[in-house]
Amino acid sequence: MSSTQSQQTIVVVGATGIQGSGVVRALLSDKYGGPWLVRALTQDPSSGKAQKLLSEYQTTDNRLSLVSGHVYDETSLRSAFMGAHGVFAMTSERYPGKVITEEEELKHEIDAGRNIISAAKECCIKHLVFSSLPDTVKASDGQFKRIHHMNNKHTIEQLARKELDGFTSLIPEDGVVQFCMPLPGNKMVQWTDPAHDMGAFSASVEKTKGKTYLALGPRITPEGMAKAFTRITGKPAVHSPISFEEFGHLSSALVGPAFKEDAIEMMQWAAIAPTDKTCYGAFELEAEQSSEELGLTASSFEDWLRRSGWTGP
């Protein structure tokens, strides 16, 4: 690979997921600079999801390639990162093929983050962009200490800032649309489209190392979501909140029993988070305007409905 190509190569961790695929799409478009060469990191390049990504997003000049790697295998990350200019990375509370039964096991996410940071440092990556989340222990003044999946990402962010010269964090809203969320119908919550917005922001932050950007769209209430859904799709919808316990039970089915209290505390804090702050009460409202210097505006819920064509489960 020539030095020019090396400067243009970006590795995308989690490329076949919602956020990762959005980053791949944005980097390969002509809208956000470049042109970038993109290495899509995947555990199995021959898998159906990886091949689908390649077929959907490959460019006429073949700027997309698949590369094998796993966030729990630092050696594979070093191999994937070698010679690249930048990396987009994210970690997950889910551990592929493993059911999380103990709170301590949720720290696997920090292990993944350390591997990413170490490989980036070893390979002299010029810019690591990380999908982070805020410190909810600090935001809630210590009231909620078990929202591990958010605090783990914040821990990784702090490690990266300490170890790497070129680092930017992007913070999306955590979770997906659920009209049954256990919140008051008039409680303002943040909205983002992780596939579209994280891609757009990631492809636009090359010259803004060291900063944090909130990839957050306009706030909306659960009742507002239901009304917007009906307005866009023509289908009736209502907000029918479930209990915190029910929400925790549904969420733990995706990760494991240890995630139940994590999910419950997240929604308990969301229900009472101060309305004069944003992103789970962790940032001042002015922080939402930080994206103006990038010339970007994150999607609204209605934007997402129109773009995705989603008409319900």
Side-chain angles (χ1 to χ4, degrees):
M1 178 179 291
S2 70
S3 59
T4 300
Q5 287 178 314
S6 177
Q7 292 176 354
Q8 295 175 334
T9 300
I10 307 294
V11 182
V12 178
V13 177
T16 61
I18 294 175
Q19 289 188 43
S21 62
V23 173
V24 169
R25 181 178 62 246
L27 288 171
L28 293 173
S29 76
D30 297 327
K31 187 175 181 180
Y32 305 105
W36 302 106
L37 301 176
V38 178
R39 294 180 195 162
L41 187 77
T42 174
Q43 285 183 253
D44 181 8
S46 65
S47 69
K49 290 181 68 174
Q51 290 300 310
K52 185 174 185 289
L53 181 82
L54 188 64
S55 65
E56 289 185 351
Y57 296 142
Q58 184 59 280
T59 60
T60 56
D61 52 352
N62 296 316
R63 287 188 284 118
L64 174 61
S65 61
L66 302 177
V67 59
S68 178
H70 195 291
V71 293
Y72 300 103
D73 180 357
E74 187 183 335
T75 300
S76 72
L77 293 179
R78 288 199 298 269
S79 178
F81 292 179
M82 191 62 65
H85 170 80
V87 171
F88 169 83
M90 58 170 295
T91 57
S92 175
E93 61 274 9
R94 300 178 67 178
Y95 193 115
K98 185 176 181 179
V99 176
I100 307 299
T101 59
E102 303 289 340
E103 284 188 4
E104 188 68 21
E105 294 175 6
L106 288 167
K107 292 184 179 179
H108 70 83
E109 191 171 356
I110 298 177
D111 294 334
R114 286 198 180 99
N115 288 341
I116 292 167
I117 294 166
S118 178
K121 188 173 183 178
E122 180 72 20
C123 296
C124 300
I125 294 298
K126 299 296 190 295
H127 194 181
L128 174 67
V129 178
F130 180 66
S131 177
S132 188
L133 283 171
D135 179 357
T136 53
V137 175
K138 181 179 179 181
S140 68
D141 290 327
Q143 185 176 358
F144 295 97
K145 301 179 180 179
R146 302 171 70 177
I147 311 178
H148 302 296
H149 76 286
M150 298 179 74
N151 297 327
N152 287 343
K153 291 177 179 64
H154 178 74
T155 296
I156 294 168
E157 175 185 336
Q158 300 313 302
L159 291 172
R161 291 190 185 281
K162 179 180 178 181
E163 294 293 329
L164 303 175
D165 293 330
F167 177 79
T168 299
S169 69
L170 295 178
I171 299 182
E173 176 71 355
D174 187 44
V176 298
V177 178
Q178 295 187 26
F179 298 140
C180 61
M181 61 182 68
L183 298 175
N186 61 354
K187 176 66 178 180
M188 295 297 291
V189 294
Q190 207 75 51
W191 166 260
T192 192
D193 176 356
H196 180 272
D197 294 337
M198 289 297 281
F201 275 70
S202 295
S204 302
V205 297
E206 177 53 34
K207 297 180 180 180
T208 61
K209 301 181 180 78
K211 295 190 176 183
T212 295
Y213 292 99
L214 307 185
L216 308 176
R219 288 182 289 175
I220 187 171
T221 66
E223 289 178 349
M225 287 183 175
K227 290 178 180 178
F229 178 83
T230 298
R231 186 166 58 250
I232 300 299
T233 68
K235 294 185 176 183
V238 296
H239 173 233
S240 301
I242 59 177
S243 69
F244 294 123
E245 184 74 17
E246 289 173 308
F247 183 86
H249 177 74
L250 290 172
S251 299
S252 64
L254 299 174
V255 180
F259 190 64
K260 182 176 180 179
E261 292 301 321
D262 183 315
I264 289 174
E265 285 208 358
M266 175 181 67
M267 298 312 292
Q268 288 175 332
W269 169 236
I272 64 172
T275 56
D276 61 344
K277 291 190 175 183
T278 187
C279 195
Y280 285 94
F283 293 89
E284 300 298 329
L285 290 176
E286 291 76 12
E288 292 184 10
Q289 308 306 315
S290 64
S291 60
E292 290 181 355
E293 67 182 76
L294 301 178
L296 292 175
T297 301
S299 303
S300 68
F301 179 59
E302 292 191 19
D303 291 335
W304 175 77
L305 283 173
R306 292 189 175 95
R307 181 168 53 241
S308 68
W310 186 70
T311 58

